[in-house]
Amino acid sequence: MSQTRICILVIDDDPDLTAAVRVTLEPEGYEVIEANSGRAGLEIAYLRHPHLILLDINMPGMDGYQVCRELQFGYTKDIPIVFLTSCSELEDMQRASRAGASGYITKPFRPDRLLAAVRDLLRDALVFYDDITGLPTLAQVQVELQRRLFDHSQLGMLYVTIEGVWALEQTQGFEVVDDVFRLVGHRLNLARGRLLREDDFVLVSSLGNAFLVVLGPPRRGGGVASDHLVRVKRRLEHHLVKALEQELHASLYTKIALYVGFAKLTQSPKVRFRRALVEAIESAARSIERERSGLQHRLQQDFERVLLDRQIRCVYQPIVQLEAYDVLGYELLCRGPLGSELFQPDTLFEVARHEGCVADLDRVCRLAATSASSLLPRKYLRFINIEPVSLFFHAQSQEFVREFIDATPEELRRRTVIEITENAIIEDFERMRGTVRTLREEGFKIAIDDAGAGYSGLLTMVELESDFIKLDMSLTRNIEDSQVKQRLVKTLRDFCADANIELVAEGVETRAQLDVLKALGVVYGQGFLFAHPGVPFPLQDTIGPRDDAQRVPSAGTHSCLN
């Protein structure tokens, strides 16, 4: 069976040098691709995501330092970079290190030294250490674990998993998911010496999608006590959940759930060590499933009451013009009962999907938003999110649409913007166009939400001929450091200008983001930099930027898409 070769990108404007690198590396089984400029290298890095980059310093246009700094963000930030250059001064090496380089080789290079550097970096990165968190893998610590188990006969194991990352990756991108895993790994490492003992192992699972903590043997000898494992599990779970709540944006925190399971790793003369290890991991994972089953039953009962009693309320978040900060309108965001586990809409809709009641919940949210929008002064637009599947493609779609129209006072319909998320897979555009035509005839405006992060992309924009396009917050995040994101926003800006569509940037949270968006010609913005979603809405015609709002003090009071 063929294996994918390790890919190495060489960014250098000297064709003789790249040829020499190719002659050195290709006979060893590496795939070598070339770029003759910094800008071309960036494009190839984003498209191909090589395993390693060899980078020159002195190149026309962007020099190597600029390229290296640009590669530290987003999709390419975990790729090892080795400078391969004729610059041999200590100052050059220090600048390379500050830019994020993993190694430094001077020209003319010795082939054996280049090969050794490549092998060392790739071996450490791909086999013994996780490239996202930097934590060791099972391959790195397996021998030591086996030795400890032989000496003590039993060890405790904790299994830390994060639910919801697959859906988060689909909507927010892998960069955000990598940040979540990086945060959890960092916090687990910090817990050693505090919640954990210094000699406890913290590592990633073989698939890289969960964390393992192997506890050292009891200090007084004997077996591992179950009540001790439960206490450590609860302390660690509380520590990690609190860290996620404090350090992640609420719109991300509420999309995921962290669980800690536990089990015992026991030595047996009849069972191979590897089999015992796998069984312990599976047992810890099963303990999480039992815990989740009880939680799901409780949430199911609470959800039934939410639907029956229509326990949905709305909060408001302003959309402002980015030059004068005039308020264009407000997005209405639905929330569950205050203080409930179903307060955040992501949890609400997750339970609704599990119960097959998304259309019912979406209907209650739509009607709640319609009612709450009547409280806004008429001069403001009101933006209301809808689930395309339930409003456009459900068996009762026509009844839902008619109900929504009738619930909106006629004088407010022309001030109401219906947001259609781009994250939905849309297969029947003809049917959707018909529904949109009906809504337009009644005066409603149309917006495409989460543009740049979903499935349908430009096809949705072209088919629906929307009045607004709202850039997904994943494009806004770190836009000041990413030329790729800036070029994409420029493209959408030009598209909107030609099509007479208003462009809105979501997730504006820092002045650096604001400055770049204004320079790119984005007219409107929405985000924590201006206001957190709340009740009541601010009664002011202009809302200027506040202090940078990268961290959210309490995930229970802030925005999530409904």
Side-chain angles (χ1 to χ4, degrees):
M1 190 168 84
S2 64
Q3 296 180 336
T4 302
R5 289 195 297 166
I6 292 176
C7 177
I8 298 175
L9 169 62
V10 184
I11 306 176
D12 198 307
D13 62 332
D14 182 354
D16 293 333
L17 183 282
T18 56
V21 171
R22 183 181 294 277
V23 168
T24 301
L25 296 181
E26 285 190 338
E28 301 298 320
Y30 299 111
E31 177 188 4
V32 178
I33 51 178
E34 302 172 6
N36 60 9
S37 71
R39 190 169 300 280
L42 284 176
E43 297 290 346
I44 293 174
Y46 275 93
L47 289 172
R48 294 290 304 274
H49 198 263
H51 296 87
L52 177 71
I53 294 175
L54 301 176
L55 177 63
D56 191 18
I57 291 178
N58 296 321
M59 294 181 291
M62 298 179 70
D63 65 24
Y65 301 124
Q66 292 174 290
V67 175
C68 190
R69 285 193 295 270
E70 181 72 22
L71 288 167
Q72 300 310 304
F73 299 95
Y75 186 51
T76 56
K77 61 185 171 186
D78 296 307
I79 302 175
I81 300 170
V82 176
F83 274 92
L84 183 57
T85 175
S86 59
C87 300
S88 58
E89 298 295 328
L90 178 61
E91 180 183 355
D92 297 313
M93 299 178 187
Q94 291 173 335
R95 286 188 66 188
S97 178
R98 289 194 297 270
S102 303
Y104 197 97
I105 299 174
T106 56
K107 303 175 187 175
F109 66 88
R110 288 172 45 188
D112 60 340
R113 188 183 170 203
L114 176 62
L115 279 171
V118 167
R119 287 168 179 160
D120 288 345
L121 278 170
L122 292 174
R123 182 186 66 242
D124 291 345
L126 299 177
V127 178
F128 295 114
Y129 293 93
D130 176 57
D131 60 342
I132 304 300
T133 64
L135 292 173
T137 63
L138 273 173
Q140 171 77 338
V141 302
Q142 183 171 330
V143 173
E144 176 62 17
L145 285 181
Q146 190 169 5
R147 183 190 66 78
R148 285 198 185 187
L149 188 62
F150 180 81
D151 291 341
H152 301 282
S153 74
Q154 196 172 65
L155 301 172
M157 175 177 289
L158 302 178
Y159 182 83
V160 182
T161 183
I162 308 169
E163 302 290 338
V165 291
W166 170 248
L168 184 64
E169 188 169 74
Q170 299 304 298
T171 58
Q172 301 294 328
F174 66 88
E175 299 170 340
V176 173
V177 172
D178 286 354
D179 286 341
V180 171
F181 277 106
R182 205 172 280 114
L183 170 60
V184 174
H186 176 64
R187 285 292 182 163
L188 279 171
N189 230 0
L190 290 180
R192 295 172 64 190
R194 298 166 56 202
L195 302 177
L196 306 171
R197 285 164 27 191
E198 284 286 356
D199 58 351
D200 291 343
F201 288 104
V202 176
L203 56 147
V204 296
S205 71
S206 56
L207 296 178
N209 60 352
F211 299 89
L212 299 176
V213 179
V214 182
L215 305 176
R219 296 190 187 280
R220 297 180 181 178
V224 176
S226 297
D227 57 347
H228 171 70
L229 280 178
V230 172
R231 286 196 300 271
V232 176
K233 161 220 164 23
R234 288 175 178 168
R235 289 201 302 265
L236 190 62
E237 194 169 53
H238 176 76
H239 168 74
L240 295 175
V241 169
K242 186 176 180 181
L244 289 173
E245 183 177 358
Q246 290 178 339
E247 299 191 38
L248 286 183
H249 304 296
S251 55
L252 304 178
Y253 168 75
T254 54
K255 294 181 185 296
I256 60 177
L258 183 141
Y259 297 94
V260 179
F262 65 94
K264 298 177 184 180
L265 176 59
T266 303
Q267 180 192 11
S268 169
K270 297 181 179 180
V271 180
R272 290 183 182 274
F273 168 76
R274 182 70 180 176
R275 181 63 249 168
L277 181 62
V278 170
E279 173 57 32
I281 294 173
E282 291 177 348
S283 177
R286 287 195 297 270
S287 75
I288 291 176
E289 288 302 315
R290 290 192 295 270
E291 182 178 340
R292 288 188 64 200
S293 178
L295 173 62
Q296 188 64 43
H297 178 69
R298 187 174 69 251
L299 290 178
Q300 176 186 351
Q301 292 179 320
D302 293 344
F303 177 75
E304 289 175 357
R305 286 192 291 270
V306 168
L307 278 188
L308 183 64
D309 301 333
R310 298 192 178 184
Q311 299 174 353
I312 297 293
R313 67 190 190 98
C314 288
V315 292
Y316 305 81
Q317 187 175 38
I319 297 168
V320 303
Q321 198 267 351
L322 295 185
E323 288 294 339
Y325 306 123
D326 295 330
V327 176
L328 170 71
Y330 289 84
E331 181 172 356
L332 290 97
L333 300 158
C334 290
R335 298 290 185 265
L338 192 63
S340 164
E341 290 176 295
L342 297 178
F343 173 72
Q344 291 290 357
D346 290 279
T347 306
L348 263 174
F349 275 86
E350 180 183 351
V351 176
R353 278 187 285 273
H354 186 270
E355 298 299 315
C357 296
V358 171
D360 298 318
L361 176 60
D362 189 52
R363 174 176 173 269
V364 173
C365 288
R366 274 198 312 275
L367 296 179
T370 302
S371 175
S373 73
S374 64
L375 302 177
L376 286 168
R378 286 193 59 186
K379 62 182 176 180
Y380 298 131
L381 295 178
R382 49 272 287 149
F383 290 73
I384 297 177
N385 264 297
I386 61 98
E387 286 278 343
V389 173
S390 60
L391 190 63
F392 296 151
F393 306 120
H394 192 271
Q396 294 178 270
S397 290
Q398 291 185 353
E399 292 91 332
F400 288 161
V401 171
R402 191 69 256 169
E403 180 184 50
F404 179 69
I405 293 171
D406 293 341
T408 307
E410 189 173 350
E411 65 273 13
L412 294 183
R413 294 173 190 171
R414 296 189 180 280
R415 308 297 297 165
T416 300
V417 184
I418 300 173
E419 295 190 17
I420 302 170
T421 179
E422 188 196 292
N423 289 328
I425 301 176
I426 300 172
E427 297 178 346
D428 191 348
F429 277 103
E430 184 61 36
R431 185 172 178 180
M432 176 174 272
R433 280 195 300 268
T435 304
V436 168
R437 191 181 309 114
T438 298
L439 292 168
R440 286 190 183 281
E441 289 171 354
E442 295 289 345
F444 293 95
K445 293 179 172 59
I446 302 296
I448 293 175
D449 194 19
D450 300 329
Y455 297 101
S456 306
L458 289 175
L459 182 58
T460 306
M461 302 178 196
V462 171
E463 290 285 349
L464 296 188
E465 299 180 356
S466 62
D467 303 283
F468 293 86
I469 288 178
K470 301 184 76 176
L471 295 175
D472 184 74
M473 64 176 63
S474 63
L475 287 179
T476 304
R477 188 180 298 113
N478 297 325
I479 191 172
E480 68 274 19
D481 298 315
S482 174
Q483 292 185 13
V484 173
K485 290 183 179 181
Q486 291 175 29
R487 287 197 291 273
L488 180 55
V489 171
K490 285 180 184 178
T491 300
L492 289 172
R493 175 205 64 193
D494 294 340
F495 172 81
C496 289
D498 292 341
N500 196 28
I501 298 172
E502 299 289 359
L503 189 61
V504 181
E506 292 186 305
V508 184
E509 298 180 352
T510 69
R511 287 185 178 265
Q513 294 169 359
L514 174 63
D515 291 341
V516 171
L517 291 167
K518 289 166 68 172
L520 291 173
V522 178
V523 178
Y524 297 104
Q526 175 183 355
F528 295 156
L529 188 62
F530 304 105
H532 293 278
V535 178
F537 47 83
L539 288 173
Q540 54 196 85
D541 292 333
T542 61
I543 299 178
R546 314 181 310 167
D547 294 334
D548 285 4
Q550 290 184 321
R551 292 288 176 258
V552 182
S554 172
T557 58
H558 301 305
S559 168
C560 276
L561 298 179
N562 61 320

